[in-house]
Every structure is written in structure tokens, then in C-alpha cells.
Amino acid sequence: MNLIPHINALFAPRPPLEFKQPYSQQVGKKRKLPYEGIAKCLESFETIEEYEENFKKFKPVEQRKERRERIAMERKTLSLETVKAKEEAWDPSSYNFESDAYKTLFVGRLSFMTDEHKLKREMEQYGPVKSAVLVYDKETSKPRGYGFVEFEHERDMKTAYKHADGRKIDGRRVLVDVERGRTVKDWKPRKVGGGLGSSRKDRPKKTKQEKAEAKRAAAMAAKAAARAAAAKKEEAARREERERAANENRDRRKDDKERDRDRSRERDRDRDRDRDRDRNRDRDRDRDRDRDRDRRREDKDRRYDDYRGDRKGSSR
């Protein structure tokens, strides 16, 4: 069979294996190293004194959670020290204000786009405003989101205090309060640890696992609420179906009673009709009987009269 050489080579047999002379003697086992003790290594070990000294110098590896807790504690300590230093340096008597504290309102949570003219125009709805001042940052000269409004009359300030809280100015609901710095005894501002806000107070922070568990619990509660709502809806549907069936049965029984009553009335009417018919038939029968009796009597009388007439004629 003539094929192409490179295809024919695929079908060619492999070359025979090369002959190797067998070993003349048996191969011995591998020699192993002799086992020895550790007595000669004792000099390399540390002594008890060295171990205790190294143990005192040992610093464990700080874990991620421990590092976060340490940084949080350092920040908290630094914040407390800063607040304490500000509180010691704060002197309320060093501030001099020309406005009347009992006619002035504090307005917070303002939009950064709100200016003094806008604030004054919004507050003039409750009465004449003497001045409206916003507080700016000393370094950036940007508004800090709060200010003070002084009214001409104290009654207007009280009206604004009652009705302006929660009012929307430039898309944000503002917070309105009296000026507590000069009207409340031993009042401390927010920067020295006082104030009424609770957004900067210590809150227990949750780990990722606790957040996941809370989220899972909320999801399970939502599913349970959904199942309860579905069960309630299904129970309402079943109750409505039972009420509908009961109403249908009641209507059916009512219809059956009315139908039976109509049937009984028709039956009584038919019975009365049959009774009247039978009574009329009996009356007609009696009338016919009486008529036949009278006719027979008349026939008999007529025959008798004919008979007497015939006898009289024959005797003559």
C-alpha cells in the first residue's frame, strides 16, 4: 500500500528495546543516619532568667479589632481633653452683646445658601425684626448654619418661637429656640460640652456581624409581618366567602319558603277550585235529576190523562 511517507511513518512499528545486562549481585539497602539525642544541643537553649527577661519584652501582635478600639479610645480621650481645655478657658463674661436676650431667637439647621436678608424676610412674618445675624467660620468665612434674630417686641419673639419651629427655609426645616446663653443659668455652649443636641453624644457602635444580624432580624420581621398580613387578608376573604355563602343560603331558604308558600297557596286554590267544581257538578246533577223526575212525572200524568180519555170514549 503506497501512502505518503509522513503518513506511512505513523503506522511503522516502534524500534525494539535496548538489551541491558542484569546485575551480577543484589543491590543493598540505603544506609540511614544514626539517631542521636539532644543533649549536645542543650547549650543552645535559653535559661530561665533569659526567658523571663524576653517574656517581659515581648509585645503581642495587635489585631485589627484591637487597633480600631485603641484608635477610637485615643480619639475619645483627645476630644475629652480638648473639650475640658475649652471649658476651662471659656469665660461668658468676656462677651458683650448689644441685643436684648429676651427678644432674640436662635435659628439653627439653616441652609448654607440662606443669607441674612432671606432670614430676616422670613421672620418678619411674625413681627418687625430689628436685626438678623448669621454666624460665619473664622477660617473659611463660610456660614455655619445658624444665626440669631432680634425682634422689636418680646411678644413677636414668643409668637415666632411657637410657630416658626419646623418652618421650611430654602428647602430645609429650621430649628427655633430661645437664646439660652444669656437667659439660662450655668448654660454651656456646644463647643465646651453643653447644648441640647444629641448627635455628638456617645452611641454604641455595632460591628458588621451585629449589623448583619439586625438586618436579618428586620428582614425576618418584615417577612413575618407580610405573612401575617397575607394570613389576615386570607382570613378576611374566607370570612367574606362564608358570609356570602350564609347570605346565599339564607336567601335560598327564604326563596324556598316563599316558593313553598306560593305552592301551598296554589294547592289550596286548586283544592278550592276542585271543590267548587265538584259542588257545581253535584248541583248540576241534582238539577238534572230533579228535571228528569219532573219530566217523568209529567209523562206519567200525561199518559194517565190519555188513558182516562180513552176509557171515557169507549164507554160512550
Side-chain angles (χ1 to χ4, degrees), residues 176-208:
V176 178
D177 195 5
V178 296
E179 186 184 349
R180 298 179 180 270
R182 292 182 291 169
T183 58
V184 179
K185 186 179 179 180
D186 297 332
W187 173 260
K188 295 180 181 179
R190 184 69 172 271
K191 62 182 179 181
V192 295
L196 297 177
S198 60
S199 61
R200 298 184 184 178
K201 293 183 179 180
D202 295 336
R203 296 180 181 177
K205 294 184 179 180
K206 296 182 180 180
T207 59
K208 291 184 178 179

Side-chain angles (χ1 to χ4, degrees), residues 253-267:
R253 286 195 297 271
K254 187 176 180 180
D255 295 340
D256 293 341
K257 287 182 179 179
E258 292 180 357
R259 192 180 300 108
D260 294 339
R261 193 181 299 112
D262 295 339
R263 287 178 180 175
S264 62
R265 289 177 181 175
E266 291 179 1
R267 196 179 299 111

Side-chain angles (χ1 to χ4, degrees), residues 14 28 35 81 101 104 134 139 153 155 178 185 187 190 237 254 307:
R14 295 180 179 178
Y35 290 103
E81 292 177 355
T104 306
L134 294 179
E139 296 180 357
H153 308 287
R155 63 176 181 273
V178 296
K185 186 179 179 180
W187 173 260
R190 184 69 172 271
K254 187 176 180 180
Y307 173 72

Side-chain angles (χ1 to χ4, degrees), residues 80-90:
L80 292 176
E81 292 177 355
T82 305
V83 170
K84 187 176 180 180
K86 289 183 178 180
E87 184 178 1
E88 292 176 354
W90 183 64

Side-chain angles (χ1 to χ4, degrees), residues 34-60:
Y35 290 103
E36 297 180 356
I38 61 172
K40 64 178 183 180
C41 300
L42 291 177
E43 297 179 356
S44 301
F45 294 163
E46 61 183 1
T47 60
I48 297 177
E49 292 79 7
E50 293 176 350
Y51 170 76
E52 292 179 354
E53 185 178 357
N54 292 333
F55 183 77
K56 292 179 181 179
K57 296 179 181 180
F58 175 73
K59 293 183 179 180

Side-chain angles (χ1 to χ4, degrees), residues 8 17 22 56 62 84 111 115-116 119 140 159 161 195 200 230 257 267 285-286 297 302 315:
N8 193 15
L17 297 176
K56 292 179 181 179
E62 189 177 22
K84 187 176 180 180
S111 173
D115 55 359
E116 296 176 351
L119 180 60
T140 60
T159 303
Y161 174 71
R200 298 184 184 178
K257 287 182 179 179
R267 196 179 299 111
R285 189 181 301 111
D286 293 340
R297 187 181 294 113
R302 188 170 53 256
S315 62

